[in-house]
Amino acid sequence: QVQLVESGGGLVQAGGSLRLSCAASGLTFNNYAMGWFRQVPGKEREFVVAINWGGGRTYYADSVKGRFAISRDNAKNMVYLQMNSLKPEDTALYYCAADRWGVGSPNSDVYDYWGQGTQVTVSS
């Protein structure tokens, strides 16, 4: 079955960096767009960034543009989220998700598979 497993979360001070990873299995990875979303308790899941199947197109939420960068390695079935200049408001549970249409979208409804999430906490 399809599995998406996030890792790399943790506690970091404001201004610091973290690199999240998402390992995918059970799917033809290079057919899928991948996205990162985040959620804070009591709030709706929020789009962060997406990348199309080939890695040639990316989409960023305005709140993370210039600070976060998504990349993928189709040979390893991995997607990464490099997060720099972290702010306390970036604190959330971060999820990766896979979209079979391959294009990439900020709409969480189009994603077919989701990981369990990795917690990112940014202290001030």
Side-chain angles (χ1 to χ4, degrees):
Q1 79 262 26
V2 176
Q3 280 194 312
L4 301 176
V5 180
E6 303 94 337
S7 60
L11 174 63
V12 64
Q13 287 190 330
S17 298
L18 282 174
R19 188 193 195 209
L20 305 185
S21 300
C22 174
S25 60
L27 74 172
T28 306
F29 183 72
N30 58 10
N31 285 349
Y32 283 74
M34 299 298 295
W36 286 96
F37 291 77
R38 64 189 182 187
Q39 190 168 23
V40 174
K43 293 190 175 182
E44 290 198 357
R45 194 169 292 183
E46 176 189 21
F47 169 73
V48 178
V49 61
I51 188 167
N52 75 333
W53 64 273
R57 298 195 70 174
T58 55
Y59 310 85
Y60 290 87
D62 288 343
S63 59
V64 305
K65 278 181 185 175
R67 300 189 298 121
F68 290 12
I70 190 171
S71 60
R72 65 188 296 160
D73 185 338
N74 285 349
K76 296 182 178 179
N77 286 11
M78 297 289 296
V79 63
Y80 306 100
L81 180 61
Q82 179 66 45
M83 305 187 296
N84 300 324
S85 302
L86 282 161
K87 305 175 181 180
E89 51 264 43
D90 295 317
T91 294
L93 187 62
Y94 281 72
Y95 298 90
C96 73
D99 163 24
R100 73 181 66 186
W101 294 108
V103 176
S105 170
N107 182 1
S108 62
D109 290 341
V110 309
Y111 289 83
D112 303 284
Y113 304 106
W114 293 82
Q116 293 299 306
T118 185
Q119 178 67 38
V120 171
T121 303
V122 183
S123 63
S124 57

